[in-house]
Amino acid sequence: QVHLVESGGGLVQAGGSLRLSCAASGLTFNTYTVAWFRQAPGNEREFVAARSWSVDNLLYTKYADSGSGRFAISRDGPGRTVYLQMNNMQVEDTAVYYCAARGGLDASQITATSGYRFWGQGTQVTVSS
């Protein structure tokens, strides 16, 4: 059974940084596409970033415009944890952040919530002004 568990959320001041983690059980991310989405109150869940690997080869990376240059998605060596490093955070980054995963790569679906089979429960990120 696959479980994804996010951690690392919290309260940060504008301009600060946070690193979110997504730990997997029941799979390794080595041959998966892993994404981060976020959802603010009253808003739809939106794409933040995604990366796809084939074992040790990085296949594809995509960032939403909102996080480009500020956010970075990475993976640990064994492929059990994926990270989202968020720098120069802004108030509008406040949301619940979710990690999601799917086997293989479908670049046409990489930003769509429907493109992912497995989801974590989310972690709250709050940025204060």
Side-chain angles (χ1 to χ4, degrees), residues 46-105:
E46 66 175 9
F47 172 79
V48 175
R51 266 193 164 174
S52 185
W53 293 272
S54 174
V55 191
D56 292 329
N57 297 316
L58 177 61
L59 295 181
Y60 194 83
T61 303
K62 187 172 180 66
Y63 293 97
D65 290 342
S66 58
S68 183
R70 299 188 299 124
F71 295 176
I73 185 171
S74 63
R75 184 197 77 188
D76 70 349
R80 289 285 187 185
T81 305
V82 167
Y83 305 100
L84 182 68
Q85 177 68 42
M86 301 185 291
N87 300 322
N88 189 25
M89 296 186 70
Q90 306 301 311
V91 172
E92 51 267 32
D93 294 323
T94 296
V96 177
Y97 283 70
Y98 299 88
C99 70
R102 60 158 290 156
L105 170 64

